[in-house]
Amino acid sequence: TTLTDDSALKLTFRVPERFAAQLTAGTAVRVSAQTAPDVPPAEATGEVYFVSPGLDAGLRALEAKALLARPPFGLRPGMFAA
């Protein structure tokens, strides 16, 4: 048996370099994920808590992390979100 605390989820994502100047710790984020077929996407909001100090040269993107407090039912760790 595995127990998972899903009261908050950490989201890791990349932002194209042209938007890098707009992203700082404290920036609000909104994500959606299809949790099941024939069900509207689950949406969650959160806040950026980490912004990488450097760009990934290969992807020309900046990595950031956000905390999603009280994610909706069905949103689970490891899911793909857009």
Side-chain angles (χ1 to χ4, degrees):
T1 302
T2 301
L3 297 177
T4 302
D5 178 8
D6 59 1
S7 62
L9 294 177
K10 291 180 180 177
L11 172 70
T12 301
F13 59 101
R14 289 186 175 84
V15 176
E17 73 176 317
R18 68 177 179 261
F19 300 117
Q22 299 173 25
L23 189 66
T24 61
T27 301
V29 295
R30 181 177 49 184
V31 298
S32 65
Q34 190 71 43
T35 59
D38 303 324
V39 174
E43 294 190 358
T45 58
E47 186 174 291
V48 174
Y49 69 90
F50 170 81
V51 179
S52 175
L55 291 169
D56 180 317
L59 297 174
R60 297 183 58 150
L62 188 67
E63 183 177 276
K65 297 180 182 185
L67 185 63
L68 308 177
R70 297 181 307 280
F73 179 76
L75 200 55
R76 304 259 190 256
M79 293 182 81
F80 176 80

